[in-house]
């Protein structure tokens, strides 16, 4: 094998966001764009001579070409072996598991997650370190710095590699006597085995065999093959229990984001009155998100995390109890109440899964979650969509209660953290920045101000001090906290690729069970008005309604 050192010009926009580098496909197709980023990454890492790299993606458009480039560059940059999911497929949690199981050096996940795919859609690349989790900011900051001054990259003269046939292909390595190996592995099996080791498959199988009707929607994305193996082959579910389980490069033209807006086909089935099924769930492009629905009932992700924490001991893997919990700052405090009752610690981190890794590695937390439909545990170092679905099924199988009944009982015990997120997508960046600046300008004057029933206690821009490695992450979202514990959080998205997306997170605690049945939008109506008043969002953006409400 020969190394080809190729001269290149830097791009100025390769700053990884909340979860890797995400851009329009046509940006990734610019000359040397992917190569520049990959080389900047390899130059940041110290790659030992026996290093193994895991590579896989969610199967979206450009996945296959990108994988060939990465294989060729990994060979030229001294990796000894690359592990590829068959067909270039690995869901994000499966990639995390493969990195951990085979103790590899790290891995690359090619995905833009819940963003649209296809030739006009988005592509993305994310690096995960040896613990299986997303690279911390220390690494991504350095990659960005290197990408701004890169002058050349190293690629090899390897031919196109067959990534569809399970097995190994060996090539002559960089030095005499060395080899470079491309190993194609079954994308599903290791992950399915892991799930089977965590949950009571016997109990879930019995639940599904006794008239309990479910529907899982893979949204034409990566979880399709995983769902077939787990639900149909291993748990005996009817094949009608699955929908949109054939992955496609553009996710069937849809938006692979499991929420009430984009998973509308599933939502129709689950809100069909008397005809609604018992349980519905969906996952996103790369399989790390989950939405849980009961019969005519939506489970807010923040509540889902709290319910899983409260019922963890019903699941074999967590029967001994949980060490602690962590949630991202905008996620509701529902799980904190469970942690307090269980007498385990709860941590509040910035948005993005990379902040949970240190806590899990240190054994401080077992369960983690985000309001953005992400839940998982220390079984991997990513959020895990199918894991959450199986956890719910396991809990239902043991409790023999409906999803709604489980939630109502939970609220009765803990009170309800009424919660909603309003997203304003693709607004001009300047308008979004002016909204944020306008709120920040009121930091001094807001405290003690009274808005109807609410009085502002304090407001700040959230900073996180990592208790494990001492690192500090500033500017992680604006919090307006009220004296009764309610909050409004304003944040700009770090995953969008068009203009800016402004997220408003609203939370109010309701201890009174006679009000628990209220729709969140109704219960939060006053908070929503306060958020608009403080932010002057309508005036500054011209938007009169959110794009997505969850
Ligand atoms: C969003 C979510 C965040 C999540 C991230 C990646 O980020 O809010 O909670 O971790 O997406 O999820 P942002 O910066 O757009 O708010 V995934 O499933 O897209 O990898
Ligand atoms: Co995702």
């Amino acid at each position: 094998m020969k190394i080809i050192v190729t001269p290149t010009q830097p791009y100025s926009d390769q700053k990884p966001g909340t979860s890797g580098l995400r851009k329009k496909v046509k940006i990734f197709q610019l000359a040397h764009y992917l190569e520049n980023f990959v080389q900047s990454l390899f130059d940041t890492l110290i790659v030992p001579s026996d290093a193994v790299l895991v590579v896989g993606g969610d199967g979206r458009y450009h996945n296959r070409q990108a994988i060939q480039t990465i294989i060729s560059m990994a060979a030229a940059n001294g990796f000894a072996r690359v592990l590829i999911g068959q067909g270039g497929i690995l869901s994000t949690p499966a990639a995390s598991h493969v990195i951990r199981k085979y103790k590899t050096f790290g891995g690359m996940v090619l995905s833009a997650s819940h963003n649209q795919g296809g030739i006009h859609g988005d592509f993305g690349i994310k690096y995960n370190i040896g613990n299986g989790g997303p690279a911390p900011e220390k690494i991504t900051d350095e990659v960005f710095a290197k990408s701004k001054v890169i002058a050349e990259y190293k690629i090899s003269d390897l031919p196109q590699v067959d990534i569809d046939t399970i097995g190994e292909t060996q090539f002559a390595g960089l030095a005499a006597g060395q080899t470079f190996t491309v190993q194609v592995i079954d994308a599903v099996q290791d992950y399915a085995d892991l799930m089977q080791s965590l949950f009571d498959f016997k109990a879930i199988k019995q639940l599904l065999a006794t008239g309990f009707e479910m529907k899982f929607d893979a949204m034409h994305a990566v979880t399709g093959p995983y769902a077939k193996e787990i639900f149909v082959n291993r748990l005996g579910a009817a094949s009608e229990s699955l929908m949109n389980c054939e992955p496609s490069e553009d996710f069937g033209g849809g938006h692979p984001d499991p929420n009430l807006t984009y998973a509308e086909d599933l939502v129709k089935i689950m809100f069909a009155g008397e005809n609604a099924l018992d349980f519905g769930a969906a996952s996103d492009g790369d399989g790390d998100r989950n939405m849980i629905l009961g019969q005519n009932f939506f489970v807010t992700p923040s509540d889902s995390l709290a319910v899983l924490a409260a019922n963890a001991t019903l699941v074999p893997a967590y029967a001994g109890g949980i060490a602690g919990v962590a949630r991202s700052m905008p996620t509701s405090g529902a799980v904190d109440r469970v942690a307090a009752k269980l007498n385990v610690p709860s941590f509040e981190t910035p948005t993005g899964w990379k902040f949970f890794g240190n806590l899990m590695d240190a054994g401080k937390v077992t369960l983690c979650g985000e309001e953005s439909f992400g839940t998982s545990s220390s079984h991997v170092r990513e959020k895990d969509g199918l894991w959450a679905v199986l956890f719910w099924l396991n809990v239902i199988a043991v409790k023999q209660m409906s999803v709604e009944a489980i939630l109502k009982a939970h609220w009765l015990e803990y009170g309800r953290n009424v919660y909603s997120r309003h997203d304003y997508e693709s607004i001009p960046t300047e308008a979004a920045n002016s909204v944020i600046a306008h709120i920040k300008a009121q930091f001094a004057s807001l405290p003690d101000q009274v808005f109807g029933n609410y009085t502002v206690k304090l407001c700040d821009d959230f900073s996180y001090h990592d208790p494990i490695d001492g690192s500090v992450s500033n500017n992680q979202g604006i919090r307006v906290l009220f004296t009764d514990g309610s909050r409004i959080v304003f944040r700009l998205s770090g995953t969008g690729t068009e203009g800016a997306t402004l997220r408003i997170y609203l939370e109010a605690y309701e201890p009174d069970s006679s009000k628990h049945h209220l729709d969140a939008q109704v219960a939060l109506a006053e908070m929503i008005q306060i958020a608009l008043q403080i932010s002057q969002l309508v005036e500054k953006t011209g938007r009169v309604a959110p794009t997505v409400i969850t």
Side-chain angles (χ1 to χ4, degrees), residues 19 22 92 111-114 256 284-289 383:
S19 179
R22 286 187 196 172
T92 287
S111 170
S113 187
H114 56 288
D284 71 331
D286 61 331
D288 56 0
R289 296 187 176 207
K383 53 191 191 231

Side-chain angles (χ1 to χ4, degrees), residues 17-19 22 92 111-115 126 257 284-289 328 331 351-354 370-374 382-383 421 491-496 501 503 505:
T18 313
S19 179
R22 286 187 196 172
T92 287
S111 170
S113 187
H114 56 288
N115 297 18
K126 181 171 67 160
D257 198 356
D284 71 331
D286 61 331
D288 56 0
R289 296 187 176 207
S328 66
T331 303
T351 295
W353 211 262
K354 56 178 172 264
E370 296 191 278
E371 49 63 43
S372 54
F373 299 84
E382 284 279 6
K383 53 191 191 231
R421 181 176 110 184
R491 235 191 106 247
L492 292 179
S493 155
T495 58
T501 293
R503 307 199 195 284
Y505 311 79

Side-chain angles (χ1 to χ4, degrees), residues 448-463:
D448 299 328
Q449 270 193 48
V450 179
F451 295 87
N453 292 318
Y454 298 92
T455 305
V456 177
K457 187 169 152 203
L458 64 93
C459 39
D460 66 2
D461 201 339
F462 182 64
S463 281

